[in-house]
Amino acid sequence: MHPNARIRAIVGLRVATTFAGFLGATDVGAQEVVSLPAEDLRLPADFELVYRIGSADAAARWEEFFTIQGVGFDNAGSLYLLDGAGNGGGRRVVVVDASGHHVRTFGRPGQGPGEFQRAMQLVVWEDGRTLVGDLTGYHVFGPGGEYERMVRETGGFGVVTRADLRPERTGSQTVLVRDDRAVLRVNMSLDEVQRQVLVEAWAPRASVDGPFAVDFEEMLDEVGTEWGFEPEVLFDALPTGGVVFSDSSAYAVKLTDASGSISRILGRPIRPLPVTERMKREERERRLEEEKNRQATAIEGDPPPQVLSMINRYMEAHRAAVENMQFYSSVPVVAALRATWEGNLWVERSMEPGASEPGAIDVLAPDGRYIGTFPAGRLAMPDAFGPDGLVAFLGTDELGVPVITVRRLPQNVR
């Protein structure tokens, strides 16, 4: 298990100057490489408002939300919201139809079938089935909100370590998930999850090899070096059953078929932002603040002294790694990557670290056409894409109460 995954389980490039060098370790022989234009074509960001729910002034009790832990659309345009109690996780799933009217609410706190202890993840399949990731496993609910079964993890990989669950668009009960530098296809139709590697992304440095260290002292030794501005593996599911992903500091968006084979790479000649000493200092301070907050919130209840000592030692080792962290020379160009319901690609570009506004968002067709760009600061990446151009944005009002806004995209960017 990767060290960062262990932290979550316990407590919760070199950049080339040519596009060919941006492709990482990929064999490009059978792939189409598409060079997109350098100049932005401005797109308007004025989308039709469909409905807005939530806020402290909510008219109905069902739309009195606390914290939205997850969101997704089904094929009918209904929106599903996992609502909960802050760090305590989700407590219910609220469903509204394509016009914003309440359909149903299901799930509740508890330890029984279909009851949530600390639900933090929501997956919505096209047919309206839902998957809710909880401490003890994954709850599966039918299209009408009826509890169907529980799916358990195996192999010592805790539910809380899963990152960026995405529903596959194949009609099957499968999801995609990032696991270190790989994207896995996970079958959720059985009592225990069945995993297979779909994509092995490029690794900018050597990963920790070998089995998970069961000895605590060995685990402390494997905390390793922390890296700032390391390019993440960003990905989303395509309607064709494939994956779109980015895995380097460059602008290189890779598309695969349903087997995981890369078929097309889309790039723009946009150079990564060089990392300055000020960026390094601010990033280290930000990460240290995260460690401080994690230590303040990670330990719940009254654990035995031996367990408490192990947790504290591990967190101290990780904090030391952050204090001595190393840095990549560039900020990755791509900050976020999503696919629309129809299959267009939305690629958000990075701003300077610490910027409060979202970066520019490029819209690309999966066949390699550049459609245009929403300018920086004009539009946040939608939190969910749905059919018929529906998109959901999560926000809060002036009192910090969740507000969910659903808009409709124009045809050319869906």
Side-chain angles (χ1 to χ4, degrees):
M1 185 185 296
H2 190 269
N4 287 341
R6 276 197 210 103
I7 293 168
R8 290 192 293 269
I10 293 174
V11 302
L13 298 191
R14 181 175 302 235
V15 178
T17 58
T18 64
F19 179 64
F22 292 167
L23 307 185
T26 306
D27 176 10
V28 299
Q31 300 155 5
E32 179 186 7
V33 178
V34 181
S35 296
L36 303 174
E39 185 176 350
D40 286 349
L41 174 63
R42 186 185 181 99
L43 292 171
D46 300 323
F47 306 147
E48 172 195 352
L49 175 64
V50 181
Y51 62 85
R52 183 178 286 116
I53 55 176
S55 84
D57 298 325
R61 292 202 61 182
W62 65 265
E63 59 174 317
E64 294 176 354
F65 300 110
F66 189 92
T67 302
I68 304 300
Q69 307 282 359
V71 59
F73 286 96
D74 67 14
N75 199 38
S78 293
L79 183 66
Y80 296 65
L81 301 155
L82 176 60
D83 182 42
N87 291 331
R91 292 294 187 266
R92 60 172 184 159
V93 176
V94 177
V95 185
V96 298
D97 66 16
S99 299
H101 299 116
H102 181 244
V103 176
R104 71 182 67 89
T105 298
F106 60 90
R108 61 183 182 183
Q111 301 183 23
E115 297 177 341
F116 309 146
Q117 296 182 48
R118 193 185 175 98
M120 303 295 287
Q121 298 166 319
L122 174 70
V123 168
V124 182
W125 285 297
E126 291 188 356
D127 65 357
R129 280 187 166 79
T130 54
L131 183 82
V132 178
D134 202 1
L135 278 178
T136 55
Y138 299 97
H139 305 266
V140 178
F141 296 88
E146 66 279 7
Y147 173 77
E148 290 189 346
R149 54 194 167 81
M150 177 71 79
V151 184
R152 306 285 184 181
E153 285 274 8
T154 58
F157 204 113
V159 172
V160 293
T161 65
R162 291 298 185 190
D164 298 333
L165 289 179
R166 299 274 193 262
E168 279 210 288
R169 305 280 302 282
T170 58
S172 58
Q173 294 181 39
T174 54
V175 300
L176 300 176
V177 63
R178 188 179 74 243
D179 184 5
D180 194 11
R181 304 296 297 183
V183 178
L184 308 184
R185 174 179 283 142
V186 184
N187 183 356
M188 293 289 186
S189 65
L190 306 173
D191 291 339
E192 293 183 351
V193 301
Q194 302 292 317
R195 302 178 288 269
Q196 69 176 93
V197 176
L198 183 62
V199 171
E200 285 279 9
W202 174 63
R205 59 189 173 87
S207 299
V208 177
D209 295 324
F212 173 67
V214 295
D215 180 81
F216 180 70
E217 299 300 329
E218 292 179 11
M219 190 170 63
L220 284 181
D221 292 338
E222 291 180 7
V223 169
T225 303
E226 286 291 310
W227 286 83
F229 307 113
E230 179 173 0
E232 293 185 61
V233 177
L234 307 172
F235 76 97
D236 206 355
L238 295 171
T240 57
V243 175
V244 57
F245 71 100
S246 171
D247 59 358
S248 71
S249 292
Y251 196 120
V253 177
K254 305 176 184 180
L255 295 91
T256 81
D257 59 22
S259 72
S261 297
I262 297 175
S263 57
R264 183 174 291 119
I265 303 174
L266 312 179
R268 295 191 71 190
I270 299 174
R271 291 184 177 275
L273 187 66
V275 172
T276 65
E277 290 302 317
R278 176 183 59 81
M279 292 180 189
K280 293 179 182 179
R281 181 178 64 256
E282 292 176 353
E283 178 68 6
R284 183 180 290 109
E285 291 173 354
R286 183 187 68 81
R287 296 275 287 272
L288 287 172
E289 185 65 23
E290 284 184 354
E291 290 300 308
K292 179 180 177 181
N293 293 337
R294 180 182 292 122
Q295 190 161 9
T297 61
I299 302 172
E300 299 179 356
D302 188 19
Q306 183 179 7
V307 173
L308 182 61
S309 174
M310 292 173 65
I311 293 174
N312 286 334
R313 288 182 61 196
Y314 193 92
M315 296 182 73
E316 288 169 4
H318 191 254
R319 178 180 176 84
V322 173
E323 289 175 339
N324 297 285
M325 70 189 303
Q326 299 184 40
F327 294 89
Y328 287 89
S329 60
S330 302
V331 178
V333 175
V334 180
L337 177 62
R338 295 300 302 270
T340 70
W341 200 266
E342 286 80 1
N344 277 340
L345 313 175
W346 284 39
V347 184
E348 181 179 343
R349 292 165 10 208
S350 295
M351 299 283 278
E352 182 171 325
S356 59
E357 294 185 338
I361 297 177
D362 298 334
V363 182
L364 316 177
D367 63 6
R369 290 178 293 113
Y370 168 67
I371 297 172
T373 298
F374 299 109
R378 292 295 307 279
L379 179 68
M381 182 70 81
D383 293 283
F385 289 87
D388 196 26
L390 294 175
V391 287
F393 298 91
L394 303 181
T396 57
D397 64 12
E398 61 277 5
L399 298 178
V401 178
V403 177
I404 301 91
T405 303
V406 173
R407 296 184 180 274
R408 194 181 310 276
L409 302 176
Q411 191 68 44
N412 64 321
V413 297
R414 295 182 182 178

